[in-house]
Amino acid sequence: MGSRSDWDVMEGAALMLEQLGIPYEAKVVSAHRTPDRLYDYARSARDRGLKAIIAGAGGAAHLPGMTAAMTPVPVLGVPVDATVLNGIDALMSIVQMPKGVPVATFAVGKPGAVNAALFAAAMLANDDRDIRKALDSFRAAQTDEVPENPL
């Protein structure tokens, strides 16, 4: 995440990954305030075994795009509602990547963070039976919680 204050949103991703039994790391890496940290993190991601990076950022929200520019590891961008524009600025920044530097972009805020974790799980489930089972169980439980009748 781009700032420690983004944890309120990004914790949703962490909790979902924990629920599915997927190991993760949580780091504060600012594209603007810690560019060397960003460079080291992104450049080493594949060699460290990362399969996906969920990058949350508010405001100008350069973190997801700059990360994607420096690693072949898939980057999932979560716009954080950190400014007076309620995350719309971050959404526009993350979704408007130039051709050739993709960032999968999710909804603003906590729903986006949870969905980014579920999307990462779906990618990992293609090659990991345990994650596939956990994701299938989550989805089945989610379906079971929806009543057929409104009463």
Side-chain angles (χ1 to χ4, degrees):
M1 64 205 82
S3 172
R4 185 181 326 165
S5 63
D6 296 342
W7 182 245
D8 288 344
V9 169
M10 299 308 293
E11 185 179 25
L15 293 172
M16 180 54 62
L17 292 170
E18 286 175 14
Q19 182 179 338
L20 297 172
I22 299 172
Y24 67 92
E25 57 187 29
K27 302 281 185 191
V28 176
V29 180
S30 171
H32 302 115
R33 293 181 298 273
T34 62
D36 292 336
R37 188 183 306 170
L38 169 59
Y39 179 87
D40 293 342
Y41 187 85
R43 288 289 190 188
S44 68
R46 182 165 56 182
D47 290 340
R48 291 185 301 111
L50 297 185
K51 305 289 186 205
I53 298 172
I54 300 172
H62 290 129
L63 180 62
M66 291 302 298
T67 302
M70 291 187 275
T71 184
V73 173
V75 176
L76 316 178
V78 177
V80 174
D81 46 345
T83 69
V84 69
L85 298 176
N86 295 318
I88 298 302
D89 48 348
L91 174 64
M92 292 297 117
S93 178
I94 296 170
V95 79
Q96 290 293 353
M97 290 302 299
K99 179 176 74 175
V101 186
V103 173
T105 308
F106 293 85
V108 174
K110 290 180 184 183
V114 171
N115 281 342
L118 289 167
F119 190 88
M123 289 190 314
L124 296 171
N126 288 319
D127 297 318
D128 188 307
R129 185 179 320 231
D130 292 336
I131 295 173
R132 186 177 319 127
K133 287 173 62 175
L135 185 58
D136 289 348
S137 293
F138 168 82
R139 292 181 66 132
Q142 181 176 250
T143 297
D144 291 344
E145 291 178 4
V146 178
E148 284 190 42
N149 298 306
L151 303 177

